[in-house]
C-alpha cells in the first residue's frame, strides 16, 4: 500500500490478556516509530527502529511492552498482561531517513486498544 | 531533555477568522521544529517544518509558522480559517543529534464555528 498500515484498527481485550499490534511501514522506509496517544495527552514515544541497528527502547513504559521488527519491515508491538491504563491509540510511523534528524515521519491511522 | 508546551488544549474560532495556535519548547540543544495535523479519523500528517533559513515557514492549506529562537516559540497561524481546518494540531521538536527523539506537545483541538 501507499501509506503506513496498522492492524487491527480496533481491539477490545480483557484485562490480563496479551495483545499484538501490527505495523506495515511504507516500502523502503528504514526508520520506524511506535507512539502511544492517550485521551487528552500528547504522543508518548515508545520505541524506534533504524535499519539493522539496535532499537531505542527508552520509551517503553514497562517490561510488559516489547516490539520487534522482522526483516527491516513489518513491526509488531506486544503488550503482555494488559491493564486498563494501557487503553490508548497506538500509532506507528515510518521515515525514509538513514538516522538523520529533521525528517518527516509518516503515520498510520493507529490501533485503538480498549482494555476492559 | 526536551519538552513542548501547547498551552491551549482547545481553540474555538469562527469561520474566516484568523487563528494562532501557540507552541513553546524547552531544549538545551538545537532542535528542528514541526507542526503535524490530525483530521478526524485520520493519521497525523506533516503541516510544516522549520529546519534552517528563513524563520517564517509556509505549509499546506495556507498555514504558516514563525520560529522565534529568543522566545523558544513556534506559533502556527492562519489568516482565515475554514470548516475543513477542524482538526487537532501537534507541535513537535527533534534534536539535531537524535533522529529517534521526536517530542510532541499535547495537542490543540481547533474547532471552527460557521
Amino acid at each position: 500500500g501507499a501509506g503506513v498500515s496498522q492492524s487491527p484498527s480496533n481491539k477490545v481485550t480483557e484485562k490480563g490478556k496479551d495483545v499484538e499490534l501490527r505495523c506495515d511501514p511504507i516500502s523502503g522506509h528504514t526508520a520506524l516509530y511506535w507512539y502511544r496517544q492517550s485521551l487528552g495527552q500528547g504522543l508518548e514515544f515508545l520505541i524506534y527502529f533504524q535499519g539493522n541497528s539496535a532499537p531505542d527502547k527508552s520509551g517503553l513504559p514497562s517490561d510488559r511492552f516489547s516490539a520487534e521488527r522482522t526483516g527491516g519491515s513489518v513491526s509488531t508491538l506486544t503488550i503482555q498482561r494488559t491493564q486498563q491504563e494501557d487503553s490508548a491509540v497506538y500509532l506507528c510511523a515510518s521515515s525514509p531517513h538513514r538516522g538523520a534528524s529533521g525528517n518527516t515521519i509518516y503515520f498510520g491511522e493507529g490501533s485503538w486498544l480498549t482494555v476492559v | 531533555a526536551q519538552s513542548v508546551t501547547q498551552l491551549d488544549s482547545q481553540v474555538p474560532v469562527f469561520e474566516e477568522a484568523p487563528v494562532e495556535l501557540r507552541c513553546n519548547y524547552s531544549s538545551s540543544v538545537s532542535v528542528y521544529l514541526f507542526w503535524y495535523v490530525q483530521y478526524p479519523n485520520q493519521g497525523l500528517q506533516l503541516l510544516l517544518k522549520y529546519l534552517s533559513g528563513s524563520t517564517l515557514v509556509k505549509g499546506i492549506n495556507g498555514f504558516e509558522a514563525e520560529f522565534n529562537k529568543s522566545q523558544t516559540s513556534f506559533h502556527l497561524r492562519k489568516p482565515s480559517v475554514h470548516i475543513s481546518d477542524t482538526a487537532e494540531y501537534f507541535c513537535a521538536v527533534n534534536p539535531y543529534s537524535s533522529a529517534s527523539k521526536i517530542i510532541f506537545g499535547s495537542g490543540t483541538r481547533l474547532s471552527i464555528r460557521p
Side-chain angles (χ1 to χ4, degrees):
Chain A
V4 177
S5 178
Q6 292 188 246
S7 60
S9 55
N10 284 284
K11 175 74 174 179
V12 180
T13 191
E14 292 181 351
K15 179 180 172 182
K17 300 282 189 183
D18 297 352
V19 296
E20 285 190 353
L21 307 176
R22 176 189 167 106
C23 173
D24 202 339
I26 294 172
S27 178
H29 283 195
T30 59
L32 187 146
Y33 303 75
W34 281 100
Y35 284 87
R36 179 167 68 176
Q37 183 180 19
S38 303
L39 192 62
Q41 304 293 317
L43 276 69
E44 176 189 4
F45 168 76
L46 298 177
I47 190 167
Y48 164 79
F49 295 92
Q50 171 56 262
N52 295 320
S53 302
D56 178 351
K57 303 180 182 180
S58 60
L60 294 178
S62 76
D63 59 7
R64 296 187 296 106
F65 288 73
S66 63
E68 63 177 20
R69 189 178 184 193
T70 53
S73 181
V74 172
S75 177
T76 302
L77 177 69
T78 301
I79 309 173
Q80 295 179 310
R81 305 180 303 282
T82 52
Q83 304 294 313
Q84 288 185 329
E85 60 263 29
D86 299 335
S87 297
V89 180
Y90 289 83
L91 297 171
C92 178
S94 70
S95 176
H97 74 75
R98 294 289 190 269
S101 299
N103 287 278
T104 301
I105 60 174
Y106 299 83
F107 284 86
E109 294 188 4
S111 291
W112 194 297
L113 175 65
T114 303
V115 182
V116 297
Chain B
Q2 293 75 41
S3 66
V4 178
T5 302
Q6 293 182 247
L7 288 171
D8 305 305
S9 59
Q10 295 188 61
V11 174
V13 295
F14 287 105
E15 195 172 16
E16 299 184 6
V19 70
E20 178 180 83
L21 306 183
R22 296 180 292 168
C23 173
N24 287 87
Y25 69 93
S26 173
S27 178
S28 57
V29 299
S30 296
V31 296
Y32 298 114
L33 296 145
F34 302 79
W35 277 97
Y36 282 84
V37 59
Q38 186 177 29
Y39 297 106
N41 301 314
Q42 295 185 29
L44 280 80
Q45 58 183 280
L46 182 72
L47 197 57
L48 51 78
K49 63 182 177 183
Y50 174 76
L51 301 181
S52 64
S54 172
T55 56
L56 183 63
V57 181
K58 294 189 184 298
I60 61 171
N61 301 336
F63 282 92
E64 63 181 31
E66 185 153 24
F67 169 52
N68 187 317
K69 189 173 182 179
S70 62
Q71 297 187 5
T72 60
S73 68
F74 191 53
H75 300 331
L76 182 69
R77 302 184 183 99
K78 186 170 182 178
S80 176
V81 296
H82 301 283
I83 292 286
S84 59
D85 293 323
T86 297
E88 189 147 21
Y89 293 79
F90 293 91
C91 182
V93 300
N94 180 201
Y96 285 9
S97 59
S98 175
S100 64
K101 294 290 188 286
I102 303 176
I103 311 301
F104 286 83
S106 55
T108 298
R109 188 170 297 277
L110 178 63
S111 58
I112 311 298
R113 300 169 175 174

